[in-house]
Amino acid sequence: MRYRTGLIRAAIGAAISVTAIWLVLRSVDVGRALEVLRTADINWIGLMAACIVVDLAVRALRWQRLVAPIGHVRYPSMLAYLLVGYLANNVLPARIGELVRSHYLGDREGLSRTTTLGTVVVERVVDFVVVVAIASAAIIVLSVRGIVASVVLVGVAVAGLLAAAVTVGIAAHRLPGAERIAAAAERWPKVHELAGKLRGGLAVAGRPRTLAEALLLSVVAWGATVLAFAAAGQAIGVELTIGQASLLASGVALATAIPAGPANLGTFEFAALEIGKAVGVSADPAFALALLVHAGILVITSIGGLVALWRLGWRRA
């Protein structure tokens, strides 16, 4: 059953990516976009790559702080686990890399994999809330309307639901009828045990200092991503304002939150193309910019993930 569910998820993700690629290819002149990339300034590309590295380094620190209430994990190891997860996302569909890094960290550090997954859920919710906040501010500053603004408004609603879901998960044992549900769940000890471990991971969001650190580090990480988009624009001769770069970075993040094919191929480029139109960037340069940033992310995370696997190995030490 689990294998069949995985196949269905993979098929849906692949269909989403193929559809997005088809829509992109209908809207751009690939030859012109490649010509734009051929003349890209290597210095600005280097700055873009540096910003991506900073982004990844801060995200590893954020995850370390979220896991800290559960167990101490050295920063170099945490960065390696994060990169392994990103590598898995690059080759597997439907963002399965989030499960891979949870399993890898739990196995290597002797922590509950389910509890570790709970911290990843908190991380994803915090990330989503910050992204929606950045996108909302950008559409207000840029006075953007249409489908891009509508998507951001949907993101606001989803962010609220996710935050509420985490809150309920943390306080589930205090809600009315919780004792009755717990008594019923005891009929399935394994399910009861897993739910308790998952709640243990979610509980890190109930620590004000931990949550504040995660939010602050998320802002720093996304600031680096915004600068990466701005640097990529400069590399191909597209001068983006901070508002435009912010909307591109956050809008692409919202689009790629939808489980798609490996490495979010297609959805990344389609989102950048549509947002580029909304902020006044023509199709071919917007596509070239998306290819440049996406390629930079994939190359850096893939090389980093491979190095992490080589140094740490797959099996638990």
PDB file of all heavy atoms in Angstrom, residues 14-28 30 265-267 269-270 273 287:
ATOM      1  N   ALA A  14       5.381  14.312 -11.144  1.00  0.00           N
ATOM      2  CA  ALA A  14       5.938  14.347 -12.499  1.00  0.00           C
ATOM      3  C   ALA A  14       4.979  15.054 -13.456  1.00  0.00           C
ATOM      4  O   ALA A  14       5.403  15.835 -14.316  1.00  0.00           O
ATOM      5  CB  ALA A  14       6.221  12.935 -12.991  1.00  0.00           C
ATOM      6  N   ALA A  15       3.679  14.795 -13.293  1.00  0.00           N
ATOM      7  CA  ALA A  15       2.676  15.439 -14.161  1.00  0.00           C
ATOM      8  C   ALA A  15       2.671  16.942 -13.968  1.00  0.00           C
ATOM      9  O   ALA A  15       2.562  17.713 -14.937  1.00  0.00           O
ATOM     10  CB  ALA A  15       1.294  14.856 -13.870  1.00  0.00           C
ATOM     11  N   ILE A  16       2.806  17.381 -12.720  1.00  0.00           N
ATOM     12  CA  ILE A  16       2.839  18.818 -12.441  1.00  0.00           C
ATOM     13  C   ILE A  16       4.060  19.463 -13.093  1.00  0.00           C
ATOM     14  O   ILE A  16       3.973  20.523 -13.722  1.00  0.00           O
ATOM     15  CB  ILE A  16       2.840  19.075 -10.911  1.00  0.00           C
ATOM     16  CG1 ILE A  16       1.487  18.675 -10.316  1.00  0.00           C
ATOM     17  CG2 ILE A  16       3.142  20.540 -10.605  1.00  0.00           C
ATOM     18  CD1 ILE A  16       1.448  18.712  -8.804  1.00  0.00           C
ATOM     19  N   SER A  17       5.222  18.813 -12.960  1.00  0.00           N
ATOM     20  CA  SER A  17       6.445  19.355 -13.553  1.00  0.00           C
ATOM     21  C   SER A  17       6.370  19.400 -15.077  1.00  0.00           C
ATOM     22  O   SER A  17       6.755  20.393 -15.701  1.00  0.00           O
ATOM     23  CB  SER A  17       7.652  18.525 -13.119  1.00  0.00           C
ATOM     24  OG  SER A  17       8.020  18.816 -11.796  1.00  0.00           O
ATOM     25  N   VAL A  18       5.871  18.319 -15.685  1.00  0.00           N
ATOM     26  CA  VAL A  18       5.770  18.270 -17.146  1.00  0.00           C
ATOM     27  C   VAL A  18       4.830  19.352 -17.655  1.00  0.00           C
ATOM     28  O   VAL A  18       5.114  20.038 -18.650  1.00  0.00           O
ATOM     29  CB  VAL A  18       5.296  16.878 -17.605  1.00  0.00           C
ATOM     30  CG1 VAL A  18       4.929  16.886 -19.083  1.00  0.00           C
ATOM     31  CG2 VAL A  18       6.382  15.836 -17.345  1.00  0.00           C
ATOM     32  N   THR A  19       3.708  19.541 -16.969  1.00  0.00           N
ATOM     33  CA  THR A  19       2.755  20.589 -17.364  1.00  0.00           C
ATOM     34  C   THR A  19       3.392  21.968 -17.262  1.00  0.00           C
ATOM     35  O   THR A  19       3.239  22.806 -18.160  1.00  0.00           O
ATOM     36  CB  THR A  19       1.501  20.529 -16.482  1.00  0.00           C
ATOM     37  OG1 THR A  19       0.897  19.235 -16.598  1.00  0.00           O
ATOM     38  CG2 THR A  19       0.497  21.592 -16.896  1.00  0.00           C
ATOM     39  N   ALA A  20       4.112  22.206 -16.160  1.00  0.00           N
ATOM     40  CA  ALA A  20       4.766  23.502 -15.976  1.00  0.00           C
ATOM     41  C   ALA A  20       5.812  23.758 -17.051  1.00  0.00           C
ATOM     42  O   ALA A  20       5.913  24.863 -17.598  1.00  0.00           O
ATOM     43  CB  ALA A  20       5.391  23.574 -14.584  1.00  0.00           C
ATOM     44  N   ILE A  21       6.611  22.725 -17.381  1.00  0.00           N
ATOM     45  CA  ILE A  21       7.621  22.869 -18.433  1.00  0.00           C
ATOM     46  C   ILE A  21       6.967  23.190 -19.772  1.00  0.00           C
ATOM     47  O   ILE A  21       7.437  24.045 -20.532  1.00  0.00           O
ATOM     48  CB  ILE A  21       8.473  21.588 -18.531  1.00  0.00           C
ATOM     49  CG1 ILE A  21       9.339  21.433 -17.267  1.00  0.00           C
ATOM     50  CG2 ILE A  21       9.361  21.612 -19.773  1.00  0.00           C
ATOM     51  CD1 ILE A  21      10.038  20.104 -17.174  1.00  0.00           C
ATOM     52  N   TRP A  22       5.873  22.506 -20.067  1.00  0.00           N
ATOM     53  CA  TRP A  22       5.148  22.746 -21.329  1.00  0.00           C
ATOM     54  C   TRP A  22       4.642  24.182 -21.395  1.00  0.00           C
ATOM     55  O   TRP A  22       4.781  24.850 -22.435  1.00  0.00           O
ATOM     56  CB  TRP A  22       3.978  21.766 -21.427  1.00  0.00           C
ATOM     57  CG  TRP A  22       3.132  21.956 -22.652  1.00  0.00           C
ATOM     58  CD1 TRP A  22       3.467  21.674 -23.941  1.00  0.00           C
ATOM     59  CD2 TRP A  22       1.807  22.491 -22.687  1.00  0.00           C
ATOM     60  NE1 TRP A  22       2.425  21.996 -24.790  1.00  0.00           N
ATOM     61  CE2 TRP A  22       1.396  22.496 -24.045  1.00  0.00           C
ATOM     62  CE3 TRP A  22       0.922  22.949 -21.711  1.00  0.00           C
ATOM     63  CZ2 TRP A  22       0.137  22.960 -24.442  1.00  0.00           C
ATOM     64  CZ3 TRP A  22      -0.326  23.400 -22.094  1.00  0.00           C
ATOM     65  CH2 TRP A  22      -0.709  23.408 -23.446  1.00  0.00           C
ATOM     66  N   LEU A  23       4.102  24.695 -20.296  1.00  0.00           N
ATOM     67  CA  LEU A  23       3.605  26.069 -20.266  1.00  0.00           C
ATOM     68  C   LEU A  23       4.743  27.070 -20.445  1.00  0.00           C
ATOM     69  O   LEU A  23       4.590  28.096 -21.119  1.00  0.00           O
ATOM     70  CB  LEU A  23       2.870  26.337 -18.951  1.00  0.00           C
ATOM     71  CG  LEU A  23       1.534  25.609 -18.769  1.00  0.00           C
ATOM     72  CD1 LEU A  23       1.015  25.786 -17.346  1.00  0.00           C
ATOM     73  CD2 LEU A  23       0.505  26.115 -19.782  1.00  0.00           C
ATOM     74  N   VAL A  24       5.886  26.773 -19.833  1.00  0.00           N
ATOM     75  CA  VAL A  24       7.041  27.673 -19.960  1.00  0.00           C
ATOM     76  C   VAL A  24       7.537  27.712 -21.399  1.00  0.00           C
ATOM     77  O   VAL A  24       7.778  28.789 -21.975  1.00  0.00           O
ATOM     78  CB  VAL A  24       8.175  27.223 -19.015  1.00  0.00           C
ATOM     79  CG1 VAL A  24       9.482  27.959 -19.351  1.00  0.00           C
ATOM     80  CG2 VAL A  24       7.795  27.486 -17.562  1.00  0.00           C
ATOM     81  N   LEU A  25       7.695  26.541 -22.009  1.00  0.00           N
ATOM     82  CA  LEU A  25       8.230  26.472 -23.374  1.00  0.00           C
ATOM     83  C   LEU A  25       7.300  27.133 -24.387  1.00  0.00           C
ATOM     84  O   LEU A  25       7.752  27.577 -25.448  1.00  0.00           O
ATOM     85  CB  LEU A  25       8.495  25.015 -23.755  1.00  0.00           C
ATOM     86  CG  LEU A  25       9.595  24.315 -22.950  1.00  0.00           C
ATOM     87  CD1 LEU A  25       9.749  22.870 -23.405  1.00  0.00           C
ATOM     88  CD2 LEU A  25      10.919  25.063 -23.081  1.00  0.00           C
ATOM     89  N   ARG A  26       6.022  27.194 -24.067  1.00  0.00           N
ATOM     90  CA  ARG A  26       5.080  27.888 -24.952  1.00  0.00           C
ATOM     91  C   ARG A  26       5.245  29.399 -24.896  1.00  0.00           C
ATOM     92  O   ARG A  26       4.841  30.112 -25.821  1.00  0.00           O
ATOM     93  CB  ARG A  26       3.630  27.559 -24.547  1.00  0.00           C
ATOM     94  CG  ARG A  26       3.156  26.173 -24.931  1.00  0.00           C
ATOM     95  CD  ARG A  26       1.692  26.023 -24.598  1.00  0.00           C
ATOM     96  NE  ARG A  26       0.880  27.013 -25.317  1.00  0.00           N
ATOM     97  CZ  ARG A  26      -0.393  27.266 -25.044  1.00  0.00           C
ATOM     98  NH1 ARG A  26      -1.006  26.633 -24.055  1.00  0.00           N
ATOM     99  NH2 ARG A  26      -1.061  28.153 -25.747  1.00  0.00           N
ATOM    100  N   SER A  27       5.835  29.887 -23.790  1.00  0.00           N
ATOM    101  CA  SER A  27       5.856  31.333 -23.533  1.00  0.00           C
ATOM    102  C   SER A  27       7.194  31.994 -23.808  1.00  0.00           C
ATOM    103  O   SER A  27       7.277  33.226 -23.794  1.00  0.00           O
ATOM    104  CB  SER A  27       5.458  31.600 -22.064  1.00  0.00           C
ATOM    105  OG  SER A  27       4.217  31.013 -21.750  1.00  0.00           O
ATOM    106  N   VAL A  28       8.253  31.206 -24.007  1.00  0.00           N
ATOM    107  CA  VAL A  28       9.582  31.811 -24.135  1.00  0.00           C
ATOM    108  C   VAL A  28      10.272  31.338 -25.406  1.00  0.00           C
ATOM    109  O   VAL A  28       9.918  30.306 -25.983  1.00  0.00           O
ATOM    110  CB  VAL A  28      10.476  31.463 -22.918  1.00  0.00           C
ATOM    111  CG1 VAL A  28       9.848  31.945 -21.629  1.00  0.00           C
ATOM    112  CG2 VAL A  28      10.759  29.971 -22.858  1.00  0.00           C
ATOM    113  N   VAL A  30      13.560  29.877 -26.167  1.00  0.00           N
ATOM    114  CA  VAL A  30      14.659  29.244 -25.444  1.00  0.00           C
ATOM    115  C   VAL A  30      16.013  29.692 -25.985  1.00  0.00           C
ATOM    116  O   VAL A  30      16.960  29.929 -25.226  1.00  0.00           O
ATOM    117  CB  VAL A  30      14.538  27.710 -25.512  1.00  0.00           C
ATOM    118  CG1 VAL A  30      15.728  27.046 -24.821  1.00  0.00           C
ATOM    119  CG2 VAL A  30      13.241  27.247 -24.865  1.00  0.00           C
ATOM    120  N   LEU A 265      11.644  20.885 -11.050  1.00  0.00           N
ATOM    121  CA  LEU A 265      11.833  21.295 -12.433  1.00  0.00           C
ATOM    122  C   LEU A 265      10.498  21.716 -13.037  1.00  0.00           C
ATOM    123  O   LEU A 265       9.501  21.023 -12.915  1.00  0.00           O
ATOM    124  CB  LEU A 265      12.435  20.150 -13.249  1.00  0.00           C
ATOM    125  CG  LEU A 265      13.874  19.768 -12.920  1.00  0.00           C
ATOM    126  CD1 LEU A 265      14.302  18.558 -13.736  1.00  0.00           C
ATOM    127  CD2 LEU A 265      14.819  20.936 -13.164  1.00  0.00           C
ATOM    128  N   GLY A 266      10.492  22.843 -13.681  1.00  0.00           N
ATOM    129  CA  GLY A 266       9.281  23.336 -14.316  1.00  0.00           C
ATOM    130  C   GLY A 266       8.518  24.300 -13.438  1.00  0.00           C
ATOM    131  O   GLY A 266       8.248  25.439 -13.837  1.00  0.00           O
ATOM    132  N   THR A 267       8.189  23.898 -12.208  1.00  0.00           N
ATOM    133  CA  THR A 267       7.414  24.781 -11.329  1.00  0.00           C
ATOM    134  C   THR A 267       8.230  26.009 -10.929  1.00  0.00           C
ATOM    135  O   THR A 267       7.694  27.114 -10.820  1.00  0.00           O
ATOM    136  CB  THR A 267       6.957  24.027 -10.070  1.00  0.00           C
ATOM    137  OG1 THR A 267       8.083  23.404  -9.439  1.00  0.00           O
ATOM    138  CG2 THR A 267       5.939  22.949 -10.426  1.00  0.00           C
ATOM    139  N   GLU A 269      10.650  27.479 -12.723  1.00  0.00           N
ATOM    140  CA  GLU A 269      10.756  28.373 -13.878  1.00  0.00           C
ATOM    141  C   GLU A 269       9.411  29.018 -14.218  1.00  0.00           C
ATOM    142  O   GLU A 269       9.358  30.207 -14.566  1.00  0.00           O
ATOM    143  CB  GLU A 269      11.281  27.585 -15.085  1.00  0.00           C
ATOM    144  CG  GLU A 269      12.760  27.206 -14.999  1.00  0.00           C
ATOM    145  CD  GLU A 269      13.033  26.076 -14.026  1.00  0.00           C
ATOM    146  OE1 GLU A 269      12.074  25.335 -13.687  1.00  0.00           O
ATOM    147  OE2 GLU A 269      14.195  25.933 -13.596  1.00  0.00           O
ATOM    148  N   PHE A 270       8.333  28.249 -14.119  1.00  0.00           N
ATOM    149  CA  PHE A 270       7.009  28.793 -14.437  1.00  0.00           C
ATOM    150  C   PHE A 270       6.639  29.917 -13.474  1.00  0.00           C
ATOM    151  O   PHE A 270       6.124  30.961 -13.887  1.00  0.00           O
ATOM    152  CB  PHE A 270       5.957  27.685 -14.386  1.00  0.00           C
ATOM    153  CG  PHE A 270       4.566  28.161 -14.683  1.00  0.00           C
ATOM    154  CD1 PHE A 270       4.211  28.550 -15.964  1.00  0.00           C
ATOM    155  CD2 PHE A 270       3.604  28.225 -13.679  1.00  0.00           C
ATOM    156  CE1 PHE A 270       2.926  29.010 -16.243  1.00  0.00           C
ATOM    157  CE2 PHE A 270       2.333  28.677 -13.942  1.00  0.00           C
ATOM    158  CZ  PHE A 270       1.982  29.066 -15.229  1.00  0.00           C
ATOM    159  N   LEU A 273       8.639  33.014 -14.261  1.00  0.00           N
ATOM    160  CA  LEU A 273       8.155  33.611 -15.499  1.00  0.00           C
ATOM    161  C   LEU A 273       6.910  34.457 -15.250  1.00  0.00           C
ATOM    162  O   LEU A 273       6.811  35.605 -15.700  1.00  0.00           O
ATOM    163  CB  LEU A 273       7.845  32.510 -16.516  1.00  0.00           C
ATOM    164  CG  LEU A 273       7.568  32.929 -17.961  1.00  0.00           C
ATOM    165  CD1 LEU A 273       8.801  33.580 -18.567  1.00  0.00           C
ATOM    166  CD2 LEU A 273       7.153  31.708 -18.779  1.00  0.00           C
ATOM    167  N   PHE A 287      13.009  33.984 -17.755  1.00  0.00           N
ATOM    168  CA  PHE A 287      13.325  32.554 -17.865  1.00  0.00           C
ATOM    169  C   PHE A 287      14.818  32.322 -17.659  1.00  0.00           C
ATOM    170  O   PHE A 287      15.228  31.392 -16.960  1.00  0.00           O
ATOM    171  CB  PHE A 287      12.881  32.042 -19.229  1.00  0.00           C
ATOM    172  CG  PHE A 287      13.141  30.582 -19.457  1.00  0.00           C
ATOM    173  CD1 PHE A 287      12.687  29.630 -18.556  1.00  0.00           C
ATOM    174  CD2 PHE A 287      13.843  30.153 -20.584  1.00  0.00           C
ATOM    175  CE1 PHE A 287      12.919  28.275 -18.769  1.00  0.00           C
ATOM    176  CE2 PHE A 287      14.074  28.813 -20.811  1.00  0.00           C
ATOM    177  CZ  PHE A 287      13.613  27.863 -19.893  1.00  0.00           C
TER     178      PHE A 287
END
